[in-house]
Amino acid sequence: MICLGIESTAHTFGISIVDDKGKKVLSNVINAYKTTKGGLIPAEVADHHVEVLGEVLSQSFDKAGIKPEQVGLIAFSQGPGIGHCLRIGAGTARSLALLLKKPLIGVNHCIAHLEIGRFLTKAKDPVLLYASGANTQVIAYEAGKYRVFGETLDLGVGNFLDSFARELELGFPGGPKIEEYAMQGKKYIKLPYSVKGMDISLGGLQTNLSQKIKSGHYSKEDLCYSVQETVFAMLVEVAERAMAHTGKTELLLGGGVACNKRLQEMCRLMCEERGAESFVLENQFFIDNAAMIAIAGLEMFKAGMSTNVEEAGIRPYERTDQVDVKWR
Ligand code: AMP
Ligand code: MG
């Protein structure tokens, strides 16, 4: 079956076409809203999505080389996310489902980050370390649900890195710039390390870093290096504890921060030390993308799930463990 997936939880509007026969991602087109200064204003991001959706849709069909009639299922990200943005994706999905007379399925965005890993790698039952802009969670399947074993108590790690980079005047998005500077870092600067049980907290570290930047005593390179070592160690610690608790032997990375090679290396080392395996994806499948929505939608539909057009609203605050997992 061929599924068309739509992603629009935040800055990224994407449409992907996936054929579950042979597990082929036929197209995965995204157009992400960018700013040169400041953050996201929901209404402006929604305007961006409306502007680009026609182009993204036709590009996705062109790249996939299929006709709309060949699509058997429409999947869309239903939540969690920014209401203004979610509404554009949901509206597009409902229109397409009615127009093409095809079934519709609403997908949880966080769970989709995990399902794409199960689809594209050999991982069967991984713990997901999901580190993106707004979200930072450790998620795994346990007793019939996807459960959050640990998460950030304040900032998402990507947003934290972006605001740290802004203070260092490295531009946006900050993560890739920090990674570059970190490679030139020579000295580890001691920073607050804040793991609370299964959760992490980044607010105190953020304040501490502001003070260090203002003092002018430290090089950008050493600060970036030290931030990566500290924050990634916190992530790896909670991910490892979730693996120990659940007895799972696979770790999957997800979210834009997972593009970071040092984080990938630290996860690989942790897994090697405990006889587990760590799985990484291509960057296009780490960042927000619609292929993961199509893939999760296919899994759900095959298990008999679907969403009526009349009930296909958005769920901006949906929690991972609220989803009824019928497909596993
Ligand atoms: P997402 O919200 O999943 O699309 O991820 C976006 C976040 O990923 C932004 O905060 C970026 O700064 C961050 N990011 C992207 N590439 C990297 C990288 N190489 N290292 C660290 N963070 C990154
Ligand atoms: Mg995401």
Side-chain angles (χ1 to χ4, degrees):
M1 175 180 253
I2 292 178
C3 178
L4 180 148
I6 302 175
E7 161 59 30
S8 75
T9 51
H11 44 60
T12 298
F13 188 85
I15 295 187
S16 165
I17 297 173
V18 173
D19 190 349
D20 70 341
K21 201 161 66 189
K23 298 195 168 192
K24 283 203 278 284
V25 178
L26 302 175
S27 65
N28 183 32
V29 180
I30 61 167
N31 188 321
Y33 176 79
K34 289 192 182 71
T35 59
T36 43
K37 217 170 63 191
L40 304 182
I41 297 168
E44 286 178 10
V45 187
D47 285 346
H48 162 268
H49 291 358
V50 172
E51 241 166 68
V52 303
L53 77 84
E55 180 70 21
V56 171
L57 183 64
S58 55
Q59 276 181 12
S60 202
F61 274 114
D62 285 352
K63 286 219 171 108
I66 66 149
K67 295 192 192 68
E69 307 83 74
Q70 290 172 268
V71 170
L73 175 69
I74 311 288
F76 70 102
S77 52
Q78 202 162 19
I82 302 168
H84 293 68
C85 306
L86 284 167
R87 239 166 249 129
I88 310 304
T92 310
R94 287 194 297 266
S95 308
L96 283 172
L98 290 172
L99 200 71
L100 301 174
K101 300 190 176 60
K102 297 294 173 191
L104 183 64
I105 180 100
V107 172
N108 176 286
H109 175 95
C110 305
I111 289 178
H113 272 292
L114 194 145
E115 289 302 338
I116 192 173
R118 294 209 308 139
F119 186 85
L120 292 178
T121 73
K122 291 198 189 81
K124 288 194 177 62
D125 185 20
V127 168
L128 172 71
L129 173 57
Y130 174 34
S132 72
N135 296 301
T136 299
Q137 295 185 329
V138 177
I139 299 169
Y141 183 74
E142 188 90 330
K145 291 247 165 107
Y146 279 109
R147 299 186 192 271
V148 178
F149 284 87
E151 63 190 315
T152 178
L153 298 173
D154 39 42
L155 300 156
V157 66
N159 287 354
F160 161 81
L161 291 173
D162 291 337
S163 63
F164 168 64
R166 204 176 306 135
E167 275 197 73
L168 281 180
E169 294 176 350
L170 300 181
F172 177 87
K177 295 272 166 49
I178 293 170
E179 184 171 16
E180 268 174 46
Y181 275 81
M183 283 186 233
Q184 312 301 322
K186 290 189 178 67
K187 201 172 109 242
Y188 180 76
I189 303 158
K190 201 163 181 306
L191 295 172
Y193 181 96
S194 181
V195 170
K196 304 181 182 196
M198 294 294 285
D199 299 320
I200 70 164
S201 153
L202 296 166
L205 175 56
Q206 192 175 40
T207 309
N208 185 283
L209 284 166
S210 293
Q211 290 163 349
K212 287 203 163 60
I213 292 169
K214 284 194 194 94
S215 79
H217 291 329
Y218 306 94
S219 75
K220 286 184 183 178
E221 289 80 2
D222 286 345
L223 281 169
C224 289
Y225 167 71
S226 308
V227 161
Q228 282 200 172
E229 294 303 303
T230 307
V231 174
F232 295 166
M234 287 158 60
L235 294 176
V236 173
E237 180 183 336
V238 289
E240 178 168 25
R241 203 169 300 126
M243 292 175 81
H245 175 75
T246 56
K248 296 192 197 293
T249 55
E250 296 166 333
L251 178 70
L252 174 71
L253 294 178
V257 181
C259 299
N260 189 289
K261 292 281 180 282
R262 178 60 181 147
L263 177 60
Q264 292 179 11
E265 181 185 32
M266 286 167 81
C267 288
R268 183 175 51 75
L269 290 172
M270 178 271 279
C271 285
E272 271 171 21
E273 280 174 17
R274 50 184 299 113
E277 208 176 340
S278 158
F279 293 89
V280 293
L281 307 173
E282 282 175 45
N283 284 357
Q284 63 162 327
F285 301 126
F286 273 150
I287 58 176
D288 283 352
N289 67 89
M292 66 183 195
I293 304 300
I295 287 163
L298 281 164
E299 293 295 316
M300 295 167 79
F301 187 72
K302 281 191 278 180
M305 300 174 79
S306 66
T307 309
N308 289 331
V309 171
E310 302 76 40
E311 287 158 19
I314 59 167
R315 297 178 181 163
Y317 304 108
E318 184 171 73
R319 295 272 309 168
T320 303
D321 55 9
Q322 285 175 327
V323 178
D324 200 8
V325 183
K326 295 199 179 115
W327 64 95
R328 286 194 59 167

